[in-house]
Amino acid sequence: MAHESILIADDEPDVLDLCQRILTAEGYRVEIARTGREALERARESFFDLLLTDIKMPGMNGLETAQAVKETHPGIICVIMTGYSTMDTAIEALRLGVDDFVLKPFAPEDLSMSVAKALEKDRLQKENIRLRSLIPLFEFNKTLLSTVDVDTLLQHVLELANKETQADLALLFLSEGEEFGEHTYSPLTVQDSQSQSLRIELAGWITQHQGYVSLQRGKPFQNHFEALFEDLDVEYLVGLPLTAKEGQSLGALVVGKRAEPFASSDSEFLQVMGGQAAIALENARLFQEIQQAYDELRKLDHMKSEFINIAAHELRTPLAILLGYASVMAEDETTSLDRGRLDVIIRNAMRLSSLIDDMLNLSYLETGQAKLDIEEIDLADVIQEAILDTRNMAREKSQVIDVAIPADFPILLTDRNKLDLIVMNLLSNAIKYTPEGGRISLKAWLNGERATVAVSDTGIGIPPEARDKIFDRFYQVEDSLTRQHGGIGLGLAIVKSFVELCQGQIWVESEVGKGSTFTFELPLRPSL
Ligand code: ADP
């Protein structure tokens, strides 16, 4: 069943009635007018797909009526009813923009067929235009996807809008807070012209109106913008808002023509293009914001690295001197100083020294200065040494440390200093985060061509949401204000980087309140 709407104009009531009956029976929505003027009024009040008009009418004839209605609805199809005597005028009418004619007298099916044919022809034409506009839109889309530079994007939008609608100028207004920034594509020097405030006003009106607008020079209700037509030297202007996904207004696109009015296909094209341009613009703006934030972050990160590097270097020398003197004094058998107090100084200076080492290691890793120094290593040695170094810490907390390494564990080719630091850090963390009387175990086994080491504890555990983050620099599960354990949150970040530098990997399994297991795997022989 047809659903289009048809306006019929004829001064003969019988013909009018007959046409109305035939077309209503076909399912069209039909309205009638007895004169050309009345038809024009109806067309101003509502939208019609097709005008069927008698050629000879008193007052405005069929051709004049068709032309006047087309001015209001450029997309309407006009079919003229003519007899043999007015055939010449009908042919002339076709030349002047009428779409088709029906010869009177006609049988009902002739009328139905002519109307259906005219509507179908129009539909195909529109479809054709839509398909044709898909090609530039497709190309445009590719460009939009490949550029995140706002200026390049704006230039593409302006160029395409201008080219595809055969316009003489295109203007793009981007909302910048309360204001609009204007971008132009035109052979005219629009930027310097007089009407800037009017142009901005037009952009504001379009964004508020939130729809496609069409303006023509000399139309009474558009008086306000008359100076704009003058200044831009155009007869027709169309504009549409650019709206972001969440309905937020990004700005407006305005296109102007000097000679011919815009076709209805131009409006379709501009609206589809405007929708895509708005998405691309929004993405480009977001990308720019992210880029700025990222640059800012990089600057801050660089400053932080510089600070760590300088601070660590500046602290290292005076600390080495303090430690040196304290050790000499502690070794002096003849000294009358309190040995217990000297030990406290030395122990704390060593802690400070290991923190500074962490800071320097981080700095070397960040600047890419950390290198592998490969040698043959007995893993059991490394583990025993780490246990020896942390023995006092574990003893103070009455913890038991178990070790299980197969006696025939092969020699490992890796960097001794890095492996020492990895094992030492994992072991001292296990001790630190395990309450009194807990159990720590170190196990090693072979997994093909890889050595696997697991350090387990019966400590406080790590909540699931923190497990990925503990390997980040400075991340600590406990809040720094209520923190019960020492450290600056660099140990695991360095451990992970060193394991990866040695071509291995590390992971953690944990249960809050029950304990944690840190496992790392290294190749027996790294590929060089
Ligand atoms: P630090 O120990 O200096 O804070 P790390 O980088 O060595 O820094 O560890 C980061 C965080 O991971 C620690 O602050 C702690 O919250 C958590 N963590 C590390 N090892 C363990 C462990 N064995 N048991 C529980 N939590 C741990």
Side-chain angles (χ1 to χ4, degrees):
M1 201 69 165
H3 55 270
E4 287 92 347
S5 49
I6 298 179
L7 176 63
I8 313 172
D10 202 318
D11 57 325
E12 287 179 55
D14 292 345
V15 180
L16 205 55
D17 183 55
L18 177 69
C19 292
Q20 186 177 21
R21 280 169 194 273
I22 297 171
L23 296 177
T24 309
E26 292 289 336
Y28 297 108
R29 183 176 72 76
V30 180
E31 282 190 36
I32 50 170
R34 279 179 189 80
T35 62
R37 294 234 160 268
E38 201 186 325
L40 199 55
E41 261 165 44
R42 293 256 178 287
R44 284 209 179 110
E45 282 158 13
S46 41
F47 173 85
F48 293 97
D49 294 288
L50 186 140
L51 168 74
L52 176 67
T53 171
D54 187 21
I55 199 157
K56 252 174 76 184
M57 287 189 292
M60 267 174 110
N61 67 27
L63 176 59
E64 287 162 347
T65 308
Q67 283 176 327
V69 169
K70 262 192 191 262
E71 244 180 57
T72 322
H73 290 310
I76 198 166
I77 314 157
C78 294
V79 178
I80 281 198
M81 295 183 275
T82 176
Y84 278 110
S85 59
T86 47
M87 190 70 160
D88 287 350
T89 327
I91 291 170
E92 177 66 2
L94 282 184
R95 213 178 50 78
L96 292 173
V98 165
D99 298 274
D100 213 342
F101 65 84
V102 201
L103 216 50
K104 275 199 215 169
F106 44 74
E109 55 276 18
D110 291 342
L111 179 68
S112 305
M113 191 128 75
S114 295
V115 165
K117 244 175 47 200
L119 284 168
E120 177 64 6
K121 196 168 117 202
D122 180 69
R123 197 185 60 74
L124 287 175
Q125 257 169 5
K126 285 194 176 127
E127 193 63 33
N128 197 10
I129 291 167
R130 208 170 294 141
L131 285 176
R132 262 191 297 145
S133 67
L134 279 182
I135 298 167
L137 277 175
F138 177 69
E139 290 300 320
F140 176 59
N141 237 338
K142 272 202 295 193
T143 319
L144 292 191
L145 289 177
S146 61
T147 180
V148 284
D149 177 53
V150 173
D151 287 338
T152 320
L153 208 68
L154 295 180
Q155 216 43 42
H156 278 305
V157 173
L158 287 167
E159 262 178 53
L160 192 77
N162 205 62
K163 184 169 153 232
E164 292 303 319
T165 59
Q166 282 147 22
D168 296 299
L169 93 158
L171 310 170
L172 214 153
F173 302 87
L174 276 194
S175 318
E176 286 159 11
E178 297 287 289
E179 311 270 299
F180 281 107
E182 187 181 22
H183 304 262
T184 56
Y185 180 83
S186 151
L188 309 166
T189 44
V190 173
Q191 219 101 63
D192 307 328
S193 65
Q194 317 255 313
S195 58
Q196 201 191 11
S197 62
L198 260 188
R199 297 200 299 275
I200 299 289
E201 210 179 305
L202 176 64
W205 183 59
I206 293 170
T207 50
Q208 269 165 25
H209 184 265
Q210 282 298 314
Y212 187 84
V213 299
S214 169
L215 308 178
Q216 189 181 342
R217 194 201 282 241
K219 287 270 156 148
F221 68 96
Q222 291 155 10
N223 269 348
H224 183 68
F225 292 115
E226 209 48 36
L228 193 57
F229 288 103
E230 190 68 36
D231 195 38
L232 297 178
D233 187 25
V234 289
E235 294 296 314
Y236 306 92
L237 283 170
V238 292
L240 62 148
L242 300 176
T243 313
K245 270 174 265 161
E246 270 113 46
Q248 174 213 351
S249 167
L250 297 178
L253 175 67
V254 173
V255 192
K257 272 196 190 190
R258 233 170 270 151
E260 279 186 15
F262 285 89
S264 60
S265 57
D266 291 336
S267 106
E268 271 182 47
F269 176 80
L270 286 173
Q271 291 187 65
V272 175
M273 194 198 83
Q276 290 174 348
I279 295 172
L281 264 174
E282 197 185 14
N283 287 348
R285 277 191 166 180
L286 287 175
F287 183 81
Q288 243 175 15
E289 275 172 29
I290 292 172
Q291 190 71 37
Q292 274 164 5
Y294 178 70
D295 287 347
E296 201 58 34
L297 214 64
R298 242 200 347 216
K299 257 189 254 157
L300 284 174
D301 195 55
H302 180 71
M303 275 164 66
K304 178 228 65 195
S305 301
E306 287 281 280
F307 171 76
I308 290 179
N309 196 6
I310 294 169
H313 274 106
E314 289 302 313
L315 290 172
R316 192 165 64 161
T317 314
L319 182 66
I321 296 171
L322 283 179
L323 200 55
Y325 273 105
S327 306
V328 170
M329 285 152 102
E331 278 161 22
D332 184 357
E333 310 256 304
T334 60
T335 184
S336 55
L337 289 172
D338 181 338
R339 205 160 291 276
R341 289 183 179 166
L342 269 177
D343 281 348
V344 173
I345 294 175
I346 292 171
R347 205 170 51 241
N348 282 290
M350 300 268 277
R351 263 187 66 190
L352 211 54
S353 166
S354 110
L355 285 180
I356 292 172
D357 282 350
D358 273 358
M359 287 159 75
L360 281 174
N361 276 324
L362 176 80
S363 179
Y364 294 149
L365 279 165
E366 280 183 347
T367 52
Q369 283 171 285
K371 296 266 171 323
L372 276 187
D373 195 1
I374 306 280
E375 55 184 304
E376 290 190 347
I377 291 161
D378 181 356
L379 182 64
D381 261 6
V382 174
I383 291 181
Q384 278 316 325
E385 228 170 77
I387 292 177
L388 216 63
D389 287 348
T390 51
R391 191 181 43 191
N392 288 342
M393 255 172 90
R395 196 180 295 144
E396 275 169 24
K397 295 176 88 174
S398 315
Q399 292 168 339
V400 180
I401 303 182
D402 300 321
V403 181
I405 310 178
D408 58 349
F409 202 86
I411 291 293
L412 203 66
L413 272 184
T414 193
D415 185 312
R416 171 79 199 222
N417 284 336
K418 306 220 167 21
L419 187 57
D420 277 346
L421 187 138
I422 295 165
V423 176
M424 184 64 188
N425 257 297
L426 294 180
L427 183 58
S428 57
N429 271 354
I431 297 170
K432 190 159 77 171
Y433 297 107
T434 300
E436 300 241 334
R439 203 169 204 43
I440 319 287
S441 81
L442 281 127
K443 271 191 214 134
W445 66 94
L446 213 53
N447 180 11
E449 281 301 292
R450 297 174 85 79
T452 311
V453 180
V455 182
S456 309
D457 61 56
T458 55
I460 58 174
I462 302 157
E465 67 279 5
R467 272 175 220 155
D468 284 338
K469 300 193 197 120
I470 52 172
F471 294 102
D472 292 346
R473 289 171 291 164
F474 303 109
Y475 182 83
Q476 300 181 308
V477 177
E478 291 167 291
D479 195 295
S480 64
L481 295 176
T482 53
R483 198 168 157 73
Q484 295 177 1
H485 304 90
I488 52 172
L490 279 183
L492 285 180
I494 294 168
V495 165
K496 183 165 192 276
S497 300
F498 277 2
V499 168
E500 284 166 2
L501 203 64
C502 296
Q503 300 168 15
Q505 49 181 336
I506 181 164
W507 62 96
V508 63
E509 290 148 289
S510 183
E511 202 174 323
V512 175
K514 290 235 164 103
S516 313
T517 298
F518 285 83
T519 312
F520 69 91
E521 218 180 44
L522 297 181
L524 286 179
R525 272 146 237 293
S527 48
L528 295 172

